Each structure stands twice: as C-alpha cells, then as structure tokens.
Amino acid sequence: MIHTIRCDTQVDGEQCNAERFWPLPVAHHRELRAHLRKQGWRRRAGRDLCPDHATEETTR
C-alpha cells in the first residue's frame, strides 16, 4: 500500500496543499513519517506539517 501524508496547516483559511508519499510501499504511516522526517516533515500535536510550516509552528 502507498500511504500519503498531507500538511494539516491552515493558511488564511485554506488547507496547505503539500503532500508526500514514499515511492515504495511502507507498512504504515508511522514508517512513512520516519522517511519524511529526513526531508523536514514534522508531526506536532497530532498534526502533520510540511517543511515550510514545521518551522513556523514552533514560533506560534
């Protein structure tokens, strides 16, 4: 199964359209998040954050 992670950030009332997947099947989303963490994706308070928004969240 190919899992997809989408950024959960809202920008001016709109959902961020960033999404990523791993080109190889992974067993679950947790494994995908481990791969994407190396690319700057983060998970905070149950929300997935793309690299553009992961750094912004720490200052709010």
Side-chain angles (χ1 to χ4, degrees):
M1 177 179 279
I2 305 271
H3 295 283
T4 302
I5 299 289
R6 291 181 183 86
C7 182
D8 293 323
T9 301
Q10 295 281 328
V11 179
D12 297 326
E14 298 287 323
Q15 180 80 24
C16 174
N17 288 324
E19 66 178 29
R20 293 291 295 167
F21 65 92
W22 200 248
L24 302 172
V26 292
H28 39 69
H29 282 94
R30 185 175 59 211
E31 186 178 351
L32 174 58
R33 286 184 183 103
H35 289 292
L36 295 181
R37 186 165 183 74
K38 297 172 190 170
Q39 297 177 14
W41 282 74
R42 299 292 181 259
R43 183 156 174 87
R44 292 196 186 95
R47 300 172 59 220
D48 292 303
L49 306 171
C50 69
D52 292 338
H53 296 115
T55 55
E56 291 176 12
E57 289 290 318
T58 58
T59 60
R60 289 185 185 172

